[in-house]
């Protein structure tokens, strides 16, 4: 009898000694509330775009040529057929037509618009194949040319 009691005693102790403790969260503390801005993207104004760009082109002849879909991050390739170069920091002569890449799909209109470009960073494999030198300035919007 004593032998059986020695086997069942630890089981009884474990069953009766365990208390069910509930963790109550009456209020939540968000440590990263200032840093989290879901669904909000910063859009630069025209002057900020102009100052941050390596090249600014005024054009009405821009169209979507190609885009990636499926695997990986999406990108879009646009072709600028003609235009007027308003600012350049790299090239003194720009040959039209040329192609650019953008990480976002642009809302193009038939009216003349400003194209804000930065030196191409990344896209190494498609840059060689498509002869890309510039990419759309991140945070820039499509602004119409004011007459």
């Amino acid at each position: 009898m004593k032998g059986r009691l020695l086997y069942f005693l630890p089981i009884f102790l474990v069953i009766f000694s365990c208390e069910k403790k509930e963790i109550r969260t009456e209020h939540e503390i968000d440590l990263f509330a200032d840093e989290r801005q879901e669904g909000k993207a910063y859009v630069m104004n025209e002057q900020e775009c102009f100052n941050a760009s390596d090249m600014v082109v005024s054009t009405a002849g821009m169209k979507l040529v190609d885009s990636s879909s499926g695997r990986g991050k999406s990108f879009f390739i646009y072709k600028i057929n003609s235009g007027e170069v308003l600012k350049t920091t790299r090239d003194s002569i720009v040959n039209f037509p040329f192609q650019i890449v953008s990480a976002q799909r642009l809302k193009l209109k038939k009216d003349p618009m400003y194209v804000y470009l930065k030196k191409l960073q990344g896209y190494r494999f498609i840059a060689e194949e498509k002869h890309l030198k510039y990419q759309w300035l991140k945070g820039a919007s499509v602004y119409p040319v004011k007459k």
Side-chain angles (χ1 to χ4, degrees):
M1 183 83 171
K2 286 184 181 180
R4 291 183 185 168
L5 185 63
L6 289 175
Y7 289 119
F8 291 110
L9 186 63
I11 296 173
F12 285 120
L13 287 175
V14 168
I15 291 173
F16 292 113
S17 66
C18 291
E19 294 179 20
K20 195 174 192 180
K21 294 183 181 180
E22 294 180 19
I23 300 174
R24 294 183 183 173
T25 56
E26 294 173 6
H27 56 74
E28 294 180 11
I29 299 173
D30 191 0
L31 298 175
F32 303 102
D34 326 353
E35 297 176 12
R36 185 176 300 119
Q37 297 178 355
E38 295 175 9
K40 296 179 183 177
Y42 178 71
V43 179
M44 294 187 216
N45 63 31
E46 288 183 59
Q47 190 61 41
E48 288 176 318
C49 292
F50 190 85
N51 293 338
S53 298
D54 289 336
M55 184 161 72
V56 179
V57 177
S58 170
T59 183
M62 183 169 159
K63 64 179 181 176
L64 180 65
V65 177
D66 199 2
S67 65
S68 73
S69 60
R71 292 191 240 165
K73 199 164 89 172
S74 296
F75 61 88
F76 304 91
I77 298 176
Y78 292 92
K79 184 176 184 180
I80 300 174
N81 292 319
S82 63
E84 179 184 350
V85 178
L86 303 175
K87 174 187 174 183
T88 182
T89 58
R90 296 183 62 209
D91 299 330
S92 58
I93 297 174
V94 178
N95 296 322
F96 289 98
F98 66 94
Q99 295 181 348
I100 63 166
V101 67
S102 175
Q104 61 198 24
R105 187 178 188 106
L106 305 174
K107 294 179 182 176
L108 302 177
K109 298 177 183 176
K110 295 188 180 192
D111 299 331
M113 64 184 155
Y114 293 114
V115 179
Y116 301 103
L117 304 174
K118 276 296 240 191
K119 178 185 171 203
L120 187 66
Q121 297 171 347
Y123 304 103
R124 187 175 71 192
F125 296 112
I126 63 166
E128 293 174 12
E129 181 181 330
K130 298 282 188 176
H131 306 291
L132 301 172
K133 290 183 181 179
Y134 293 98
Q135 68 185 29
W136 183 262
L137 178 65
K138 186 177 180 181
S141 183
V142 177
Y143 291 109
V145 174
K146 296 175 184 172
K147 295 179 182 177

